[in-house]
């Protein structure tokens, strides 16, 4: 393996401007993680207009820092307030808050910081080793393979993600429909424009992202949360003892592995990784009754796993051009805004971007470890700020950001429309993630499919005759049939179980 591009990547990261943006991203991420409800997805969506003027490398370094920085920030509210700042920190509430009630809030935060650093670093090492191999393999991909991957990505994020599967698939279909709005790139015909010149140019990614993830989250959280803010628990010594570290080391190691593997899978991500790591520790524990009552492993495992997953989710994005989750879809859009196409060519055509982003994560993780413990006092003060004060400021920044992209009121109108749509989706149990992911992948699926059909002379069976695309489409069928297979197996097990056992 040629390590010269990796070394050059460190030279890129160590430039003062890039270091500054890495620091800014990590700090913003931690702050956003502390503020329950907003999340890294909404923050990245709000900040997308800013990335226009700062260049691709510092922009992606900053946005990546926001993503993995928010994973630790959410821990603070989970431990101190029993209120997860991030969805991936929900599991940490169980034992983190229990430790805080025992006067060990500092210990819980210290273990979380150490686990986050180790999990993130292990995952970055895996990213460094695995990503170039995957990218090299993906160089054999053509239009049929990209079409198959796009369909698989949409189906996986719809069926493997959280919440109602049918609603997720409906949201993904809406995203694919929105992706078709505008002029056909092959024929020039207008589609779903209703005579509007603005719609003829298609719907831009930024208003959709800012509306669905920014404005809608603010509206929803203002309705759901009360203005009263609970007093956070007191923080004592934040350095865990040698015995506590020894008790947590196994959970940290296993959490790193679980997070890295599940983070790569579409629909996996930090939330699923933290749940899986916590369940694994509870299942293998000699005394599982300790969990939920202040078990150190109950904090170490999920916090390690969610940071490892946040990093490894960059592998399919950077090497295949397939976002593994909704936040990666926003990162995908940010790269496209900079004129950079994520995928197998990224390693060879833009090695400075690829290795600059990867190596910035080493620096970012060190910054997180250094800052997380001393800044706890500042975060506790931020927790006392009322949401009713923060929300109007955030809305103003969102709308101003949308206007400055093209200096058009039309973009502000789109943000409001998609903000209301996102709010209604959350009210009725529809997650916006599948919609955004499907929108991002929609144009790639359409263009790749049509190019492939031209190659095959209009014969759709050509997708199945090529080894890679045929294998991927077999996975598509398997994923689509998986819920039916599970139901059939469950029905069979119930039928084979004696009536006495079922009623006992």
């Amino acid at each position: 393996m040629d390590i010269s591009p990796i070394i050059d990547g460190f030279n890129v990261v160590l430039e003062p401007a890039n270091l500054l943006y890495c620091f800014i991203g990590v700090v913003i991420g931690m702050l956003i993680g502390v503020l329950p409800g907003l999340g890294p997805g909404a923050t990245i969506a709000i900040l997308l207009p800013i990335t226009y003027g700062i260049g691709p490398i510092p922009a992606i370094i900053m946005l990546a820092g926001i993503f993995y920085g928010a994973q630790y920030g959410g821990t603070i509210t989970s431990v101190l307030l029993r209120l997860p700042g991030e969805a991936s920190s929900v599991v940490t509430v169980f034992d983190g808050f229990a430790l805080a009630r025992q006067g060990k809030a500092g210990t819980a935060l210290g273990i979380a910081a150490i686990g986050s650093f180790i999990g993130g670093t292990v995952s970055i090492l895996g990213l460094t080793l695995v990503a170039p191999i995957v990218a090299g393999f993906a160089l054999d991909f053509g239009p049929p393979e990209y079409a198959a991957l796009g369909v698989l990505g949409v189906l996986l994020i719809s069926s493997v993600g959280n919440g109602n599967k049918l609603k997720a698939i409906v949201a993904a279909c809406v995203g694919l429909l929105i992706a078709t709005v505008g002029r056909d790139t092959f024929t020039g015909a207008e589609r779903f424009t209703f005579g509007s010149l603005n719609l003829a140019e298609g719907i831009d990614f930024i208003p959709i992202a800012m509306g669905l993830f920014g404005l809608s989250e603010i509206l929803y959280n203002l309705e759901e949360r009360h203005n009263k803010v609970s007093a956070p628990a007191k923080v004592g010594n934040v350095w865990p003892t040698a015995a506590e570290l020894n008790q947590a080391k196994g959970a940290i190691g296993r959490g790193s592995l679980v997070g890295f593997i599940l983070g790569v899978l579409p629909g996996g991500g930090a939330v699923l990784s933290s749940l899986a790591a916590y369940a694994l520790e509870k299942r293998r524990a000699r005394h599982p009754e300790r969990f939920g009552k202040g078990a150190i492993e109950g904090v170490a495992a999920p916090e390690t796993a969610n940071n490892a997953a946040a990093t490894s989710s960059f592998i399919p994005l950077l090497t295949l051009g397939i976002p593994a989750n909704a936040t990666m879809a926003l990162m995908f859009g940010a790269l496209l805004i900079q004129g950079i196409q994520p995928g197998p060519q990224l390693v060879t055509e833009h090695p400075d971007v690829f290795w600059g982003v990867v190596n910035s994560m080493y620096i970012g993780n060190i910054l997180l470890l250094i800052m997380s413990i001393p800044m706890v006092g500042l975060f506790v003060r931020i927790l006392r700020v009322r949401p009713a004060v923060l929300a109007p400021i955030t809305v103003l920044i969102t709308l101003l950001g949308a206007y400055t992209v093209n200096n058009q009121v039309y973009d502000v109108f789109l943000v409001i429309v998609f903000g209301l749509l996102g709010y209604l989706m959350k009210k009725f149990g529809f997650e916006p993630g599948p919609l955004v992911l499907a929108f991002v992948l929609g144009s790639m699926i359409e263009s790749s499919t049509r190019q492939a059909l031209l190659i095959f002379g209009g014969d759709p069976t050509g997708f199945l005759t090529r080894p890679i695309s045929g294998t991927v489409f077999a996975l598509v069928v398997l994923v689509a049939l998986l819920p039916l297979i599970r139901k059939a197996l469950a029905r069979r097990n119930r039928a084979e179980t004696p009536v006495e056992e079922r009623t006992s």
Side-chain angles (χ1 to χ4, degrees), residues 53-255:
I54 62 177
I57 297 176
I60 304 304
I61 285 175
M62 181 182 72
L63 296 180
I66 292 172
F67 181 45
Y68 56 79
Q71 306 305 320
Y72 178 74
T75 310
I76 297 173
T77 49
S78 295
V79 173
L80 301 183
L81 288 178
R82 203 179 185 182
L83 183 66
E86 255 300 291
S88 59
S89 298
V90 169
V91 186
T92 310
V93 168
F94 304 149
D95 290 279
F97 187 71
L99 285 168
R101 294 183 65 182
Q102 298 169 16
K104 297 181 179 180
T107 300
L109 293 174
I111 285 288
I114 294 169
S116 298
F117 173 74
I118 294 174
T121 303
V122 169
S123 192
I124 297 165
L125 288 170
L127 173 61
T128 303
L129 297 173
V130 172
I133 298 173
V134 176
F137 170 75
L139 287 173
D140 295 330
F141 284 24
E145 287 73 25
Y146 276 110
L149 271 179
V151 173
L152 180 62
V154 172
L155 187 60
L156 279 173
I157 198 68
S158 302
S159 58
V160 181
N162 301 314
N164 186 286
K165 311 305 179 190
L166 179 60
K167 290 181 178 180
I169 292 172
V170 170
C173 291
V174 173
L176 291 173
L177 180 64
I178 296 173
T180 63
V181 174
R183 289 192 180 91
D184 188 325
T185 54
F186 285 78
T187 66
E190 293 187 0
R191 303 180 298 190
F192 306 110
T193 61
F194 306 103
S196 170
L197 292 177
N198 288 316
L199 287 177
E201 299 301 320
I203 299 178
D204 202 17
F205 173 77
I206 290 179
I208 294 177
M210 296 179 78
L212 288 177
F213 285 97
L215 189 58
S216 68
E217 287 290 332
I218 296 165
L219 294 174
Y220 184 76
N221 285 303
L222 277 178
E223 180 184 26
E224 292 295 312
R225 295 182 60 216
H226 298 290
N227 288 334
K228 182 180 178 181
V229 179
S230 304
K234 293 183 179 180
V235 179
N237 181 28
V238 293
W239 295 108
T241 64
E244 289 167 337
L245 285 173
N246 186 60
Q247 188 178 354
K249 65 181 182 181
I252 291 174
R254 289 182 289 271

Side-chain angles (χ1 to χ4, degrees), residues 308-475:
T311 302
S312 65
S313 61
F314 279 87
I315 292 177
L317 173 70
L318 297 177
T319 59
L320 299 177
I322 302 296
N325 51 58
T327 307
M328 287 297 103
L330 298 174
M331 300 291 292
F332 186 100
L335 284 165
L336 293 180
I337 288 170
Q338 296 290 341
I340 295 173
Q341 176 68 48
Q345 301 292 340
L346 182 63
V347 181
T348 54
E349 293 182 357
H350 301 282
D352 53 340
V353 175
F354 182 87
W355 290 113
V357 172
V358 171
N359 292 345
S360 72
M361 297 180 188
Y362 289 105
I363 308 297
N365 264 277
I366 294 172
L367 290 174
L368 270 175
L369 183 64
I370 294 172
M371 294 188 303
S372 58
I373 295 175
M375 292 180 68
V376 167
L378 172 63
F379 294 142
V380 170
R381 292 189 182 91
I382 292 172
L383 290 172
R384 300 181 187 276
V385 179
R386 299 169 72 87
V389 175
L390 291 173
I393 298 173
T394 310
V395 170
L396 180 63
I397 294 172
T398 302
L399 298 180
L400 284 176
Y403 178 79
T404 56
V405 174
N406 298 310
N407 293 325
Q408 291 184 355
V409 178
Y410 173 74
D411 290 332
V412 177
F413 171 74
L414 281 181
V415 171
I416 295 173
V417 168
F418 282 103
L420 293 174
L421 174 63
Y423 166 75
L424 292 174
M425 287 177 68
K426 292 185 76 67
K427 285 284 289 181
F428 291 100
F430 289 85
E431 286 296 322
L435 188 154
V436 174
L437 178 63
F439 174 80
V440 169
L441 294 177
S443 58
M444 183 189 81
I445 293 172
E446 182 187 11
S447 60
S448 297
T449 301
R450 294 171 72 172
Q451 288 170 2
L453 288 174
L454 289 173
I455 294 171
F456 300 143
D459 182 10
T461 60
F463 287 99
L464 306 178
T465 59
R466 291 170 67 111
I468 299 176
S469 62
T471 303
V472 174
F473 271 116
L475 289 173

